[in-house]
Amino acid sequence: MNIKYLYMFLIIIISCNEIDNVNTSEPEYVKFNFNLENEAKNLSQNLDLSYFNDITVGVKELRDDFISLITASGTQTIEITGSSIENLTDSKVVLSPPNSGNLPYANYIGVGQLIKTNGKFYGLYHGEFHNGTIIEYNGIKGFYASVGLVSSNDGINFTPSQIPVIPNYLDQDYLTGFSDSGYGEPSMLFSKDSSEVFAYYVDHNRDRDHQGVNICMGKFNVNNKEPQFDKFYFLNDQKQFTSDIISAKEIIKGPNDLSHALFPHVTYNKTLDVYIMVLSLNVFSNGNCNLNNSGIYITYSKDGINWIDPFDININSYIGTPKKLISKCSIPFSQNSSFAWHPSLIYTNEEQTEGYLLYSYGESLSYPGHQLYGNKFVIEIEQ
């Protein structure tokens, strides 16, 4: 046989063998169960605070004998400290709104989740400009929300940006016909490989083909471990990132037009190799809260972009089963109604298999209002 043709024949055989050896099976993932302790604990008993947590809860420092948390109380950002999550004893104000003018945080500034890099702390604030409207069913002041940046070189003095870092194509003068508008309730974290910073937020613009309030996302690039907060990239409907100022894709939305998916808190779990989101679902029924569906949920994602629908009871997921964790109304439907909102996951061990689900629970809006509660959780790995 001509040596040229023999060589080609051997290449074909080798190539076919390589194709035959390609692994086409489903990739293996860690199988696990996320379990809560039965009883929630009031973590506010040693603190003279009211109306908190009013945003996500961020960990500034965690040691065996000390913890420092950042969150919001009333209209201010606060730091809470103690010897442990179950023994929080001290608090101080970190940031306050000016209560005048038209800054993005003119009437409210709340910071929760933090990231740290190159010795600096960064967080996204939920800012409010109160536009004179009133939420009719509970009497709370209406707002135009914005997501801005806070930064600190020492973890003590935080400086807020004067303009939003997630730009909105609708300004403060835009009224939705409801009492909320803008972008708010952010959650921020580094991506798995720290090459990007993912940001999740709630779209209150209510200018889509439905009037729900749902969760969107985007990202900031990272250069030399430093997030580039001067440009935000929105996730569009084709699941591509763009710097165009658009109405971003809703990555998680309520199951119908009379529901809202809101208050996201996202973490990356290194043991499970998945992103975990806890969030609230608010479902209306006959002008009131539908307790069959409303509550705090948990769901999962492999890439932080594509999320399992937490409200689909028939979902078949191989990276974790979404479920409802707390069955409570997710917003106060009146001055006297109970509610649980603003969930966060805090890990307390290196493996990230133990920790607390933190959230705010209130019997009513009467003073002292909602208070910080926590449920211990354990992630059980299936062998």
Side-chain angles (χ1 to χ4, degrees):
M1 181 183 292
N2 187 302
I3 190 66
K4 172 182 173 183
Y5 293 110
L6 176 62
Y7 179 70
M8 291 176 63
F9 180 69
L10 289 174
I11 290 177
I12 292 172
I13 292 175
I14 293 171
S15 299
C16 289
N17 285 335
E18 288 178 348
I19 292 172
D20 289 341
N21 292 331
V22 170
N23 184 6
T24 59
S25 61
E26 192 72 52
E28 292 186 6
Y29 295 98
V30 177
K31 295 182 179 180
F32 65 93
N33 293 303
F34 183 97
N35 298 316
L36 287 181
E37 280 197 347
N38 291 331
E39 295 296 326
K41 295 183 179 180
N42 185 343
L43 306 178
S44 311
Q45 295 179 350
N46 298 326
L47 298 167
D48 185 20
L49 292 170
S50 60
Y51 303 101
F52 89 109
N53 56 294
D54 207 54
I55 201 71
T56 60
V57 178
V59 178
K60 196 182 87 171
E61 188 174 357
L62 177 61
R63 305 194 305 262
D64 289 341
D65 59 350
F66 179 78
I67 188 168
S68 170
L69 303 175
I70 301 292
T71 189
S73 171
T75 62
Q76 301 172 311
T77 295
I78 60 171
E79 180 178 5
I80 308 169
T81 56
S83 61
S84 68
I85 288 182
E86 294 192 21
N87 187 36
L88 300 170
T89 54
D90 298 287
S91 66
K92 66 178 182 179
V93 175
V94 175
L95 290 166
S96 297
N99 290 314
S100 63
N102 59 358
L103 285 170
Y105 56 91
N107 303 106
Y108 180 105
I109 184 165
V111 180
Q113 203 167 5
L114 297 174
I115 61 173
K116 187 178 182 182
T117 182
N118 293 333
K120 299 178 183 178
F121 290 91
Y122 296 102
L124 295 179
Y125 69 70
H126 169 93
E128 290 182 8
F129 169 76
H130 291 171
N131 53 20
T133 62
I134 298 292
I135 301 176
E136 60 180 20
Y137 51 82
N138 59 26
I140 296 175
K141 292 181 179 179
F143 58 84
Y144 176 91
S146 298
V147 177
L149 177 72
V150 298
S151 58
S152 174
N153 291 320
D154 55 14
I156 300 172
N157 302 290
F158 286 83
T159 302
S161 65
Q162 305 299 290
I163 59 174
V165 292
I166 300 182
N168 196 334
Y169 54 90
L170 300 173
D171 60 24
Q172 288 180 343
D173 295 329
Y174 173 72
L175 297 177
T176 61
F178 295 82
S179 299
D180 57 327
S181 55
Y183 297 151
E185 295 95 26
S187 173
M188 177 174 69
L189 74 159
F190 279 107
S191 61
K192 172 183 175 179
D193 61 2
S194 298
S195 64
E196 300 165 318
V197 170
F198 288 158
Y200 304 83
Y201 63 95
V202 178
D203 183 350
H204 291 266
N205 281 342
R206 298 178 183 264
D207 62 341
R208 303 175 189 262
D209 57 1
H210 61 82
Q211 294 180 325
V213 172
N214 292 306
I215 297 170
C216 300
M217 79 162 296
K219 69 173 187 176
F220 301 97
N221 288 334
V222 174
N223 185 14
N224 294 324
K225 299 183 180 181
E226 192 67 28
Q228 306 300 297
F229 289 112
D230 58 336
K231 182 174 288 188
F232 185 71
Y233 295 85
F234 294 87
L235 185 70
N236 64 21
D237 287 338
Q238 290 73 45
K239 296 185 179 181
Q240 298 174 332
F241 289 104
T242 175
S243 60
D244 294 339
I245 301 176
I246 62 169
S247 178
K249 177 179 177 60
E250 295 172 308
I251 58 169
I252 296 183
K253 59 188 298 185
N256 57 55
D257 289 353
L258 295 177
S259 60
H260 309 312
L262 64 176
F263 310 141
H265 181 273
V266 180
T267 57
Y268 170 72
N269 188 293
K270 61 185 180 182
T271 294
L272 305 180
D273 190 26
V274 298
Y275 294 85
I276 302 178
M277 180 190 294
V278 287
L279 68 148
S280 294
L281 175 67
N282 171 48
V283 179
F284 290 89
S285 178
N286 298 319
N288 210 322
C289 170
N290 183 339
L291 271 176
N292 291 328
N293 302 109
S294 296
I296 293 173
Y297 286 74
I298 188 168
T299 189
Y300 307 95
S301 170
K302 282 300 292 182
D303 59 7
I305 299 169
N306 299 281
W307 291 86
I308 304 169
D309 185 350
F311 316 126
D312 184 352
I313 60 175
N314 298 314
I315 201 76
N316 184 18
S317 168
Y318 53 83
I319 62 169
T321 302
K323 59 183 177 180
K324 186 198 286 190
L325 301 175
I326 306 290
S327 290
K328 297 287 183 183
C329 297
S330 292
I331 61 171
F333 275 83
S334 72
Q335 284 285 328
N336 300 313
S337 64
S338 63
F339 58 98
W341 59 1
H342 297 297
S344 298
L345 283 188
I346 305 298
Y347 300 109
T348 54
N349 67 338
E350 183 66 26
E351 296 77 18
Q352 298 180 319
T353 57
E354 298 176 1
Y356 287 81
L357 169 69
L358 303 182
Y359 59 94
S360 186
Y361 173 72
E363 291 287 347
S364 72
L365 284 174
S366 300
Y367 185 87
H370 43 285
Q371 300 281 284
L372 180 65
Y373 275 69
N375 276 81
K376 279 187 177 180
F377 71 79
V378 174
I379 298 174
E380 296 179 348
I381 309 298
E382 295 185 10
Q383 302 299 325

